[in-house]
Amino acid sequence: MPRLVRTVVDLVTGINKFAFYFAAMLVYVMVPAMLIDVVMRYVFNSPTVWATELAILLFGPYFLLAGPYVLHIKGHVAMDIMRQNMSPEVDRIFELLGIPVIILFAGILLWYAAPLARDSWAYGETSFSAWNPPIWWAKAAVPLAMVLLLAQAIAEFLRVLFRDPSLSSERA
């Protein structure tokens, strides 16, 4: 793989690894919030108005921001039973044909999600609940995650394209 391409691929993967670890840290906010709500509800008979909504709002970014790095580590659902019997060359062809589908999906979702997130921010959209927090940041996670997914899918395409076809599936 050319040095410039390797640098870009590694940079994209590094950014997505950071986003993955950031998303993982959101669990440390969601779980205590839910614990507080359960204790308040069942011990003190006084449920919170914010904990469940906060957990729901954080789960979207948690799920979305982890996805691009999971693509890199091949953690998504795959047809492994079929692929384990393929030669490395055929497996490589299937990867090169499959990644553009991911790029198309992320591109379409980005196209539709970006205006919704922009409008949510511009209008100062809130959840209209009793707590009523702003929700633009949760909506902004969708286009951000799609940009990261697009970049990682292109990086994976380049990784497969420049990989030695005689090697079995590489997880560089």
Side-chain angles (χ1 to χ4, degrees), residues 113-171:
L116 295 175
R118 183 190 65 236
D119 291 347
S120 180
W121 179 76
Y123 299 140
E125 185 178 5
T126 61
S127 70
F128 299 106
S129 68
W131 180 35
N132 201 26
I135 61 171
W136 64 265
W137 57 270
K139 286 189 174 186
V142 179
L144 173 62
M146 290 308 104
V147 167
L148 295 173
L149 183 61
L150 273 168
Q152 190 64 50
I154 292 167
E156 294 305 314
F157 187 83
L158 293 171
R159 192 182 317 272
V160 173
L161 185 66
F162 288 107
R163 181 175 67 209
D164 182 355
S166 64
L167 297 175
S168 62
S169 188
E170 172 187 301
R171 293 187 186 200

